[in-house]
Amino acid sequence: MNTYWPSLMGGMLIGLSAGMLLLLNGRVAGISGILGRLAQGTQVPTNAAFVIGLMIGPPLYRLGSGAWPSVTITASLPVIAIAGLLVGFGSRMGSGCTSGHGVVGLARLSPRSIAAVATFLATGVATVTLMRLVSP
Amino acid sequence: MMHPARISSAQILVAQVLVALLAGAVFGLGLSLSGMLDPARVRGFLDVAGDWDPSLAFVLGGAVAVAFAAMVLRRRLRRPAFAAEFHLPATTPIDTRLILGSAIFGAGWGMAGLCPGPALAALSLGLAPVVLFVAAMLAGMVIHDRLAARQPGGSRS
């Protein structure tokens, strides 16, 4: 099957989730913010419930499709660890990640989020390109 | 719509927790369906100068389109169904923290092909590299928050 349709429909579900959280709970569906608040011990019940829900997603997908979603990791463990540190640190410093800035921020047409998305797309592209040139 | 006086704060909290759980599950299902859960696909999307896979642009497009409709709807509502007010980030100027933080985030995203949402959702597959990534990501968040707390005016979110 064409890969664009599942991507589009999956994206729409992500937008639906963000809409639900905003219109019902009045909260922004920013994963780094939710996880950061959970790590700080604020609003634990709702933030923990969202994270548990996230983890229910792949089993739900398996229930419908019969297979787990594919997760192909090629990076070595040290690279994974450094990447995790950068993602955690950077998302807190920049007040958001692909969900908070990328989905909710862009939908709000926030200039801050547009700048953030342009920046992390640029450094993401640069990093992947550099890594491919160094070790093809 | 409803009478706040008749609804206890405990009932409100239960409603909020159920909404968060359902929203999380819909988000996780969307990530699984979209291909965002697969670091190889994400890195293929970022590899614009190589063997570029543009399909994940449709994830962002679909998500922003539906979220935009919710934003339009929000302007017609005085308050959310289960909360006193909308908690939206204040519009502050674009500063060094935003740009530098986003740049650091993007570098890590490109290295592993994982960002916070997909990494948390993929935990349910029980893969060791994903567990390591989430542990390192949490450490990165805690390190940032500790450092920001030491600087006057450094901590925001």
Side-chain angles (χ1 to χ4, degrees), chain A residues 9-134:
Chain A
M9 287 188 296
M12 291 174 79
L13 283 177
I14 292 168
L16 178 70
S17 165
M20 279 172 60
L21 209 60
L22 183 74
L23 298 178
L24 300 177
N25 284 3
R27 292 283 168 185
V28 168
I31 313 295
S32 58
I34 286 172
L35 196 61
R37 282 192 288 276
L38 197 56
Q40 289 173 340
T42 47
Q43 301 150 29
V44 173
T46 45
N47 289 326
F50 188 89
V51 172
I52 292 166
L54 262 182
M55 290 191 261
I56 296 173
L60 272 180
Y61 174 85
R62 186 170 179 260
L63 222 61
S65 75
W68 288 101
S70 63
V71 178
T72 323
I73 299 167
T74 49
S76 67
L77 292 183
V79 170
I80 292 281
I82 295 166
L85 277 170
L86 294 177
V87 164
F89 190 93
S91 62
R92 293 299 286 167
M93 187 180 188
S95 312
C97 59
T98 9
S99 50
H101 282 311
V103 177
V104 181
L106 288 190
R108 290 180 70 205
L109 307 174
S110 149
R112 269 175 66 83
S113 293
I114 293 167
V117 172
T119 305
F120 65 61
L121 275 177
T123 55
V125 165
T127 305
V128 169
T129 307
L130 233 115
M131 284 174 77
R132 187 167 44 76
L133 293 177
V134 171

